[in-house]
Amino acid sequence: MADVVVQALDLAARVDEALAVQALAFGLSEDEVAIRRPIVLRHLTAPGARALGALTPAGHLVGFIYGLPNDRGQWWSTVVEPYLRRAGHDAWLDGAFTITELHVHPGYQRHGIGARLITTLTDAAAEPRSILSAVDTDSPARALYHRLGYRDLARGVLFPSAPSPYAVMGAPLPLRRLHAAAG
């Protein structure tokens, strides 16, 4: 998938296209997509929020990522902080760039696009580390994060209305580089 280009993305302008990718990659219903749309748009107004897209030569969005410098006052931080504190890792909430969403269209997964998106985004971060949350299963996404240098900081994290527990993961920046195209 070398013809897929990772570049800056005006996510607000392409939010519906991005959410369609997320719906396919994450199995979201139309109702869940409708709930996420204003959340994504609100996140993009936060200081330091940045987004990248993975685009085909025809300009089709096949993956996206966005994140922002972590702020302990953000909803996500308030949910994960007690879990991180119990695990002795709440300091990770300071000086961290949070990966908010990373999704790749299923037809383009396992070709290194996710790794290119996350490393390109975090390479531009001023923060010394990155944090994220992922469904707490042995998934290809979690395997990718581990290969890039993320480690589990807290597991069994319960988000309101989420059907499954999550793991909070953290990595020092810059992230490891992968030599194989799996990711």
Side-chain angles (χ1 to χ4, degrees), residues 50-176:
R50 295 189 313 279
L52 298 175
L55 300 152
T56 67
H60 298 292
L61 186 69
V62 296
F64 75 99
I65 186 171
Y66 78 94
L68 52 138
N70 194 60
D71 177 338
R72 282 184 180 256
Q74 295 166 344
W75 176 83
W76 182 85
S77 289
T78 64
V79 173
V80 303
E81 190 272 336
Y83 294 93
L84 290 171
R85 187 173 0 94
R86 279 195 294 276
H89 296 300
D90 61 312
W92 275 82
L93 292 171
D94 301 315
F97 187 82
T98 303
I99 302 301
T100 308
E101 299 288 349
L102 167 58
H103 300 285
V104 176
H105 185 288
Y108 288 81
Q109 292 176 0
R110 297 183 161 310
H111 294 284
I113 295 170
R116 285 170 48 205
L117 284 165
I118 196 169
T119 56
T120 303
L121 188 69
T122 58
D123 280 354
E127 296 76 16
R129 56 185 163 214
S130 173
I131 54 176
L132 57 81
S133 56
V135 176
D136 195 0
T137 62
D138 290 330
S139 66
R142 284 196 12 98
L144 169 64
Y145 301 144
H146 282 294
R147 288 193 313 273
L148 291 169
Y150 285 89
R151 65 183 176 96
D152 293 337
L153 302 174
R155 297 191 67 184
V157 175
L158 301 174
F159 288 101
S161 77
S164 303
Y166 279 69
V168 175
M169 304 175 76
L173 294 179
L175 295 176
R176 285 187 204 138

